[in-house]
Amino acid sequence: MKNSTSLTSLSSMDKDLSLSSLTQYGRAAQRPSVPPHPHSARLAVEHGAEDPHQRSNAVPSLVRKKRRRRRDLITANLSGTRYEVVRQMVEKVGFTVSKDDDPTSYLIWNDCFVSLDKISELKPYQRINHFPGMGEVTRKDALARNVSKMQKAVPDEFNFIPKTWILPADYSLLQNYAKEMKMKKKPRTFIVKPSNGAQGHGISLYRNAEKIPSQEHFIVQEYLDKPLLLDGYKFDLRIYVLVTSCDPLRVFLFNDGLVRLATEKYLPPHESNINHLFMHLTNYSVNKHNEFYDKNMGFDTGSKRSIRYFNEYLRRSDIDVSLLWRNIGDMIVRTLLVAEPHVLHAYRMCRPGVSSGSDSVCFEVLGFDIMIDRKLRPWLLEINRSPSFGTDQKLDFEIKSAMIEDTFRLLNIKVSDKRRNIAAQKAEAQRRLFRTNRKMDSDASELDKKKQSNDKRKEELKELLNRIRKMADKEDYENRNCGRFRRIFPSEDRVRQDRYCRILSTAFSVFLAGRSNSMQKEIQVNYNNKYREDELLDMIAECEADERDSRLYPGARPQRGPKPLQSMPESLPPPPDDDDFDDDESDVSPPGSPQLRRRSGSRSRPQSQGSRGSGASGSRPGSVLTYNSQSQAAGHQQRPASQAGFSGAGGQHRSRSLTRAATTNKLATLQRSNVDDNFLNSMVKEREEELTTKTMTSLNEMRIKFPGKSDSEAELLLDMLVENWKFHKPRIASYWLVKLDSIKRRKVIDIVRSNVRAMLQRIWRTSDTDNLRLNRIFSRVFNRLLWSHGQGLWNCFSATGNSWETIFSKSSENISEVELDCCRRIVQLCKDCLLIVYKFADEAKNPGSQSAIPESAPDNTAQSQPQNGYLAGRDLRPPVNWNPHTNYSQRYSKLYQQPPVSNS
């Protein structure tokens, strides 16, 4: 065999190149020891390539690209559906219909029930259009049975289904009810349906309940004899609902649907017309056989119309359409909450080991049949698990095609799902293989137990953080791609969502009593999570800080320094929620509690070298917060604290803010009126910005009050601490980081936190400050200051005093400049509060050192200290009947009560 071949001899070859030979050569070309294939040179000559080796390497790459294109298609298995509109929408969104029953397709659509085994065999990247266990609400008898159980638990929440009896079990109850109504001269009409029937087959009406067969498996409902009529015809609504996930539950409502009319003018049921099904039934499969069925092609005429036309009809009749659809959406959610325990249990049985919050392999489009009575009250008739997608009319195609298209877009099926899920399975298998979280040995050291506990908590926090981030990404995608769908569960309304969570908890207690306790925690995490991303990041940082401390201090950290203080200055509790609270009312506090007063004047101190400008020095903008309601320090002598509060030239009087009142009335008027949502949102945003600016102004007017001293004396004392920072710095560090435990450190921060909360309640006029965005931001700052056993606040005294601002860089939430200035002011308040508490404790322990200046301090500092001896003159002594065993708050609640301030 020759090692080389000339181009002339290669060009004379007549043998054709096959795809297999090119593929084999492509593999052989990667081995340098194998000589080049002769056919590759011929191919290069035919295509005019100068280098036959380069051209031969290019062709296999094209083959690989073609194969990759075929492999990167999203396939849909539609062998189980007979509806052409599903196929058309699959192709419209860019999917490829598989030629046969491909079990590995990304999307599988079936018109009928899907077995549990088929759902169990699905890969994580696949989607199928049915949930297991959904028959608990789609079968008429199961729906009646489950709703009846929930009516006994929460009767006020499930009164949207007509009275229902399941035969033959409830036959005697049915007869007793009919006799009772007959004695009251209120005879009822009953509609009898097969338990698992569809399309109106087997439905009949009875005026006499005794004629109803007693041994048949039927559903008997009380007939709604006063329905809302449309052009004189009885009608019902076919509403489409999409469930994209059951773990957690996510429900979407399509904003259009079908209005199905009867084909005979409605008359109240009577013996003469009881058999006129074209008058009393609204099923399309029944009325299409009537000669009077109007198959009009428009959306506003005929026997089948659109919900869009129905809404316009109601508006012309001066009916609140938005209220009606809120009630309908609320009814749909409550119905699916009844199904959630059954569906979730069946889904987890089919998909064991799948973590909560993972991508659901199931979705379902449900058809709700709803009737509206003359009082505009919606009634649920039945739920269709496989609603018809026939498009024999133009109206059907327009509505159903749009609904199916938006459904496919909401599913968010991507080519990368298959590759990502396979990689996740491998990672999970490796994690299980190398998992080391074994049981703690009984003889393990305390350090090992603490480390394992800390690692376990950190993993749980990280898992919860990942779930929250994933859910936030999912909601963002849904908001951008929902089309004509709108999400009705989880609800954005906090009050309504809390109500749904209570109903769901009751449903789990009723249907899954054995797992009710374990499901309560999942309900709080999935639907009513109290933790946010920023809070979890702070908690994870605390765990990491504890882990670093355990490495730095491998043994148990001994308690250093003297014993901690017996008590700390307590914070003021927030004011009671009072709707009549206003700015022009004076604050009346009970005896022994501080009063909330603002100081309008403020003074800035000059910055001194080595003090708290960028660390512990600098001029403090404005005045600082106040409040030490009760104080006590450790030592041989205790110095009682007098009442403190906000002082100002205006006394306890406040001027009413006319701007705020006008804006509040304007916003309330806008909310009551039917205005554009964008305009209302802009007004709300403007209102929030205004209140945030007022919050910043109030924070600048606050100051810390030293117990037993005036505001000017407290300012002078802080100046002295700042100017002698080099002397006080190690002592304050020892006091804050060593002497105080975590509880007392938190009490120091709570002095500022509680008063800021009270200020937010007053400015924002709400008692529920937890839902305020500004309060959530402040909570992050407070938690950061307590981070790593108080190291977060102490870092604010150093050159890196703005290290707390990094908590906002890790979150996707945008912080405005005014909000950031409020946070800076909060940090300054906490710093001043620590200095005041430190100085108070130092004076209580060493009474003779109130005015003492260290010998190493410069001479100019002695000139700035007070010379009037006010510190000693303000010390009050307890009376003769003072009992040292009395509680501290009771001990000084009446002794050092401030005299009332006159309004003059």
Side-chain angles (χ1 to χ4, degrees):
M1 182 176 180
K2 297 182 180 180
N3 293 332
S4 61
T5 306
S6 63
L7 294 176
T8 305
S9 59
L10 289 174
S11 61
S12 62
M13 293 182 180
D14 296 331
K15 185 177 181 181
D16 295 333
L17 294 176
S18 63
L19 182 60
S20 60
S21 63
L22 288 175
T23 307
Q24 292 174 0
Y25 176 75
R27 297 192 187 103
Q30 298 176 2
R31 307 187 188 98
S33 59
V34 180
H37 199 280
H39 299 307
S40 63
R42 178 190 174 189
L43 185 65
V45 173
E46 290 176 355
H47 290 81
E50 297 180 359
D51 191 353
H53 301 287
Q54 296 179 359
R55 185 63 189 175
S56 61
N57 290 336
V59 174
S61 65
L62 293 176
V63 176
R64 287 194 297 271
K65 287 182 180 179
K66 291 180 180 179
R67 289 184 176 180
R68 187 179 298 113
R69 291 192 190 100
R70 287 196 297 267
R71 195 165 55 244
D72 290 348
L73 296 176
I74 298 179
T75 57
N77 180 3
L78 304 181
S79 60
T81 181
R82 66 182 184 274
Y83 299 115
E84 185 64 25
V85 66
V86 179
R87 183 182 301 271
Q88 295 176 5
M89 293 304 104
V90 162
E91 295 175 350
K92 184 176 181 179
V93 297
F95 298 169
T96 302
V97 180
S98 59
K99 296 181 180 180
D100 52 2
D101 187 4
D102 185 9
T104 62
S105 296
Y106 284 79
L107 175 66
I108 302 176
W109 189 285
N110 283 283
D111 296 338
C112 58
F113 172 76
V114 179
S115 64
L116 300 181
D117 294 337
K118 189 169 185 178
I119 297 178
S120 302
E121 295 171 357
L122 292 178
K123 302 297 181 182
Y125 64 88
Q126 294 181 285
R127 302 288 185 273
I128 195 167
N129 67 321
H130 288 293
F131 276 101
M134 192 62 76
E136 294 294 330
V137 292
T138 55
R139 282 182 58 98
K140 298 180 180 64
D141 54 348
L143 175 63
R145 186 182 304 110
N146 293 325
V147 171
S148 177
K149 293 180 180 179
M150 290 298 296
Q151 284 176 342
K152 296 177 181 178
V154 279
D156 296 337
E157 297 289 352
F158 291 90
N159 53 2
F160 50 82
I161 294 182
K163 288 183 178 297
T164 308
W165 298 268
I166 305 174
L167 300 187
D170 298 337
Y171 184 79
S172 60
L173 298 176
L174 170 64
Q175 297 300 328
N176 293 335
Y177 177 78
K179 292 179 181 178
E180 182 182 356
M181 291 294 103
K182 192 173 183 179
M183 292 176 60
K184 294 180 179 179
K185 297 182 179 181
K186 297 179 180 179
R188 301 298 186 186
T189 304
F190 301 95
I191 181 170
V192 181
K193 308 175 184 178
S195 298
N196 198 22
Q199 297 181 349
H201 297 311
I203 299 179
S204 57
L205 274 68
Y206 289 86
R207 290 283 293 173
N208 187 0
E210 295 178 356
K211 296 182 180 181
I212 300 176
S214 60
Q215 300 300 323
E216 299 292 337
H217 292 278
F218 283 142
I219 295 296
V220 181
Q221 283 186 337
E222 187 176 351
Y223 183 77
L224 300 177
D225 55 356
K226 296 181 180 179
L228 182 67
L229 301 181
L230 189 59
D231 296 339
Y233 295 94
K234 182 181 178 181
F235 69 93
D236 71 347
L237 305 179
R238 167 57 61 87
I239 298 175
Y240 295 102
V241 176
L242 172 63
V243 182
T244 59
S245 173
C246 69
D247 191 11
L249 181 65
R250 304 190 73 81
V251 184
F252 296 83
L253 175 64
F254 194 64
N255 68 351
D256 204 351
L258 298 174
V259 182
R260 305 177 302 181
L261 283 75
T263 50
E264 289 185 12
K265 294 283 186 176
Y266 178 78
L267 293 175
H270 191 265
E271 296 294 341
S272 60
N273 62 15
I274 196 68
N275 295 323
H276 293 190
L277 297 183
F278 296 140
M279 176 188 298
H280 298 291
L281 299 185
T282 57
N283 303 72
Y284 166 73
S285 57
V286 174
N287 285 277
K288 70 179 181 180
H289 299 292
N290 190 8
E291 59 179 347
F292 298 108
Y293 182 82
D294 186 3
K295 195 174 182 180
N296 197 294
M297 303 303 291
F299 71 94
D300 55 352
T301 57
S303 298
K304 187 185 292 185
R305 308 176 188 180
S306 69
I307 289 182
R308 180 179 54 181
Y309 157 77
F310 176 65
N311 293 337
E312 295 176 356
Y313 173 81
L314 295 179
R315 291 190 183 98
R316 290 196 301 267
S317 302
D318 295 332
I319 296 176
D320 191 350
V321 178
S322 59
L323 176 61
L324 174 64
W325 281 101
R326 279 198 301 269
N327 295 334
I328 292 176
D330 184 59
M331 180 182 64
I332 292 172
V333 171
R334 283 180 286 171
T335 305
L336 292 177
L337 292 180
V338 175
E340 172 65 8
H342 306 280
V343 175
L344 181 62
H345 176 71
Y347 182 80
R348 289 186 175 179
M349 292 294 291
C350 294
R351 312 289 299 176
V354 177
S355 61
S356 178
S358 302
D359 293 336
S360 175
V361 299
C362 299
F363 69 97
E364 188 133 22
V365 177
L366 301 172
F368 279 70
D369 292 344
I370 294 176
M371 186 170 291
I372 302 174
D373 62 14
R374 295 178 184 177
K375 296 181 180 180
L376 298 177
R377 180 181 177 183
W379 294 86
L380 176 63
L381 301 182
E382 62 182 37
I383 304 174
N384 294 271
R385 189 173 191 177
S386 299
S388 173
F389 292 113
T391 55
D392 53 349
Q393 295 182 214
K394 181 181 178 181
L395 177 64
D396 288 318
F397 180 81
E398 291 179 354
I399 294 176
K400 296 175 183 179
S401 62
M403 187 268 299
I404 296 175
E405 179 185 357
D406 292 340
T407 297
F408 291 154
R409 298 192 187 280
L410 267 177
L411 294 180
N412 193 19
I413 302 176
K414 302 185 295 295
V415 179
S416 59
D417 291 343
K418 185 175 183 179
R419 181 173 61 255
R420 186 181 69 252
N421 287 318
I422 292 176
Q425 287 181 348
K426 292 181 179 179
E428 179 65 20
Q430 292 180 357
R431 189 183 67 83
R432 290 196 303 265
L433 181 62
F434 298 105
R435 185 167 49 191
T436 58
N437 54 346
R438 298 181 297 272
K439 279 189 174 182
M440 296 184 185
D441 298 333
S442 58
D443 56 348
S445 63
E446 292 294 333
L447 180 62
D448 294 336
K449 293 181 180 180
K450 183 178 180 181
K451 185 177 182 301
Q452 293 183 18
S453 177
N454 187 61
D455 292 341
K456 182 179 179 180
R457 173 172 172 76
K458 186 168 67 173
E459 290 298 327
E460 293 176 352
L461 292 174
K462 287 183 178 180
E463 181 180 356
L464 182 58
L465 178 63
N466 292 333
R467 182 184 300 182
I468 291 177
R469 287 177 171 175
K470 187 175 181 179
M471 192 60 62
D473 295 339
K474 180 180 292 187
E475 290 184 359
D476 180 67
Y477 177 84
E478 291 172 351
N479 295 334
R480 289 184 287 106
N481 298 273
C482 60
R484 298 170 71 176
F485 279 104
R486 65 180 179 90
R487 188 177 70 245
I488 57 177
F489 185 85
S491 175
E492 296 180 356
D493 187 351
R494 180 67 179 272
V495 177
R496 178 170 295 185
Q497 183 64 20
D498 292 341
R499 171 168 155 257
Y500 289 156
C501 289
R502 291 193 297 269
I503 297 175
L504 188 58
S505 300
T506 305
F508 277 107
S509 302
V510 171
F511 300 113
L512 295 178
R515 300 180 54 192
S516 176
N517 294 332
S518 62
M519 295 304 301
Q520 300 305 319
K521 182 178 180 181
E522 291 194 27
I523 292 174
Q524 294 299 323
V525 172
N526 293 330
Y527 308 111
N528 200 12
N529 181 32
K530 64 179 180 178
Y531 293 113
R532 296 176 176 83
E533 179 180 350
D534 49 5
E535 297 176 349
L536 291 175
L537 288 172
D538 294 339
M539 296 167 70
I540 293 175
E542 291 179 3
C543 292
E544 293 175 350
D546 292 340
E547 186 177 356
R548 288 194 300 268
D549 292 344
S550 63
R551 289 198 300 265
L552 294 175
Y553 306 97
R557 298 184 61 178
Q559 186 178 7
R560 295 178 291 178
K563 294 182 179 180
L565 296 178
Q566 297 178 1
S567 64
M568 288 295 299
E570 298 180 0
S571 61
L572 177 70
D577 185 15
D578 189 1
D579 295 337
D580 298 332
F581 179 76
D582 206 342
D583 285 350
D584 59 349
E585 298 175 357
S586 59
D587 297 316
V588 180
S589 302
S593 62
Q595 297 177 354
L596 180 62
R597 294 196 293 268
R598 273 192 312 189
R599 173 172 178 133
S600 58
S602 62
R603 180 178 64 86
S604 60
R605 276 187 300 280
Q607 181 176 354
S608 59
Q609 184 178 2
S611 57
R612 41 183 197 132
S614 58
S617 66
S619 60
R620 305 190 343 272
S623 47
V624 189
L625 176 74
T626 82
Y627 299 179
N628 293 329
S629 62
Q630 297 168 352
S631 304
Q632 183 178 3
H636 301 287
Q637 181 178 353
Q638 295 178 343
R639 185 175 185 270
S642 63
Q643 292 188 354
F646 285 100
S647 62
Q652 291 184 336
H653 288 282
R654 298 188 184 90
S655 61
R656 179 186 296 271
S657 177
L658 298 178
T659 304
R660 178 175 62 190
T663 308
T664 304
N665 295 333
K666 182 179 180 181
L667 183 58
T669 304
L670 287 175
Q671 289 176 343
R672 287 192 298 267
S673 61
N674 188 12
V675 298
D676 185 68
D677 291 341
N678 295 331
F679 179 69
L680 182 59
N681 292 335
S682 63
M683 291 298 297
V684 172
K685 185 177 180 181
E686 179 182 354
R687 172 65 172 160
E688 291 179 353
E689 293 176 354
E690 177 187 355
L691 294 179
T692 304
T693 305
K694 289 185 177 181
T695 302
M696 182 62 199
T697 304
S698 297
L699 288 174
N700 286 332
E701 293 174 353
M702 290 181 178
R703 61 173 56 233
I704 295 291
K705 176 71 176 179
F706 194 101
K709 294 180 174 60
S710 63
D711 292 337
S712 59
E713 293 168 348
E715 288 282 317
L716 192 59
L717 181 62
L718 286 174
D719 284 335
M720 187 175 62
L721 290 174
V722 168
E723 294 170 358
N724 297 278
W725 178 247
K726 292 183 179 179
F727 172 79
H728 293 288
K729 179 179 179 180
R731 293 162 177 78
I732 298 176
S734 176
Y735 176 80
W736 174 249
L737 299 175
V738 180
K739 292 182 179 180
L740 300 185
D741 56 10
S742 60
I743 297 177
K744 294 182 174 61
R745 278 193 293 265
R746 184 173 293 276
K747 284 186 177 181
V748 174
I749 299 299
D750 283 345
I751 295 175
V752 181
R753 187 199 296 262
S754 61
N755 292 301
V756 170
R757 180 185 294 270
M759 180 265 298
L760 290 176
Q761 290 180 356
R762 177 177 54 81
I763 293 179
W764 292 76
R765 291 190 171 276
T766 177
S767 59
D768 188 13
T769 57
D770 293 336
N771 291 329
L772 292 180
R773 163 187 164 86
L774 195 60
N775 185 68
R776 295 199 299 267
I777 296 175
F778 290 169
S779 298
R780 295 178 62 184
V781 176
F782 287 127
N783 293 336
R784 186 66 176 183
L785 297 181
L786 293 170
W787 168 74
S788 187
H789 308 289
Q791 190 67 38
L793 177 58
W794 185 247
N795 290 339
C796 298
F797 287 92
S798 62
T800 60
N802 58 350
S803 61
W804 57 270
E805 298 182 11
T806 57
I807 61 177
F808 300 115
S809 62
K810 298 179 181 179
S811 175
S812 58
E813 187 177 14
N814 294 326
I815 306 298
S816 65
E817 188 63 29
V818 179
E819 293 171 340
L820 194 59
D821 290 339
C822 291
C823 294
R824 295 190 182 102
R825 188 59 179 162
I826 291 292
V827 173
Q828 183 63 53
L829 297 177
C830 293
K831 289 166 59 178
D832 291 342
C833 185
L834 172 58
L835 297 180
I836 290 293
V837 171
Y838 156 76
K839 190 60 180 176
F840 175 79
D842 181 63
E843 292 183 1
K845 185 177 180 180
N846 303 308
S849 62
Q850 289 99 336
S851 303
I853 298 297
E855 297 179 358
S856 58
D859 294 338
N860 56 356
T861 59
Q863 299 176 359
S864 62
Q865 62 177 336
Q867 302 293 335
N868 54 6
Y870 67 88
L871 293 175
R874 286 180 176 266
D875 286 341
L876 301 177
R877 298 181 181 180
V880 179
N881 58 354
W882 176 74
N883 185 4
H885 301 288
T886 307
N887 186 28
Y888 181 80
S889 60
Q890 301 175 0
R891 196 182 307 164
Y892 296 107
S893 61
K894 297 183 179 180
L895 296 179
Y896 306 107
Q897 179 178 341
Q898 287 184 348
V901 181
S902 61
N903 294 331
S904 59

